[in-house]
Amino acid sequence: MRTVLLGIAAALALVGPARAETPVDVELILAVDVSLSMTARELEIQRRGYAEALVSEDVLDAIRLGGPNGQIALSYVEWAGPASQRVIVDWTLIRTRADAEAFAAKLTITFPDALPRTAISSIIDHSIPRFDDNAFAGERRVIDISGDGPNNGGRPVLAARADAAARGITINGLPLMTREGRWTEFDLADLDQYYRHCVIVGPTAFVIPVLRWEDFPDAVRRKLVLELSERLPEDANAIRVEGYDCLIGEKIWEQYYGDWN
């Protein structure tokens, strides 16, 4: 028996002490498109829009009242092609206005450069393991993806989405339908439908389209309030298109540029 106990003690010593996890209502990754189709003006609007929304009273109230813990874990990641994901602000506990202001300030110190391609599947693949060992234990885990076009790099988006669903992760969408910038061949008139059919997942998943850049800060604020409060927008049950082609972005890339992968 003494030998067995010593063996167990030695094994525990190798593993190390259990890491304490802070309970939060939501672990939320803000995944923001910085692909080459975005202009410098749009990239700055995005950063400022998220910073403005995070310190709004509506969002702060949603953090305080959205769940039993009154706090969330938040991370901000920018993405473009299959190998282009950069963490701008790592996992941060947000409970007070001061927490939100400190997080928001980090978004507006500098502004990003654009990167090639649009790999929605890759930002999902990048985000899923970031929930592991992040020192937080959330009631829910959410990836919030904003983007101005369909997937055209990495693996098919439905496969990545299925992996998120298998882990119980919700994906919400903020499709940017603003018609500004370059690479207009990838513009989809029904990008909101693409996100509904091909990107979002989860029983409380939803899409909020952005049609004009002047509406962006308000759309981000509304989206954050809804997902922190676990509520759905009024148009959550919008009519879907039968047989939607979730490989449309890959097909457009192949048409213009050859092998999409």
Side-chain angles (χ1 to χ4, degrees), residues 168-190:
I169 296 169
T170 297
I171 301 177
N172 293 327
L174 192 75
L176 308 175
M177 304 169 68
T178 53
R179 302 295 180 268
E180 181 177 324
R182 300 166 287 176
W183 303 80
T184 55
E185 60 267 35
F186 288 100
D187 288 349
L188 294 183
D190 61 347

Side-chain angles (χ1 to χ4, degrees), residues 220-240:
V220 172
R221 179 194 56 76
R222 181 177 172 228
K223 173 188 61 63
L224 287 171
V225 169
L226 288 171
E227 59 199 355
L228 294 177
S229 306
E230 202 172 7
R231 292 189 285 119
L232 291 172
E234 294 177 359
D235 59 352
N237 296 317
I239 297 174
R240 299 193 176 203

Side-chain angles (χ1 to χ4, degrees), residues 102-116:
F103 191 104
K106 293 177 182 179
L107 299 181
T108 54
I109 295 172
T110 59
F111 296 102
D113 297 319
L115 299 168

Side-chain angles (χ1 to χ4, degrees), residues 2 14 29 42 45 50-51 62 80 95 98 108 126 147 154 178 181 183 187-188 192 198 209 220 224:
R2 182 173 182 274
L14 289 174
I29 294 176
E42 291 174 315
I45 288 173
Y50 277 99
R95 183 180 183 86
T108 54
H126 171 84
T178 53
W183 303 80
D187 288 349
L188 294 183
D192 53 341
C198 312
V220 172
L224 287 171

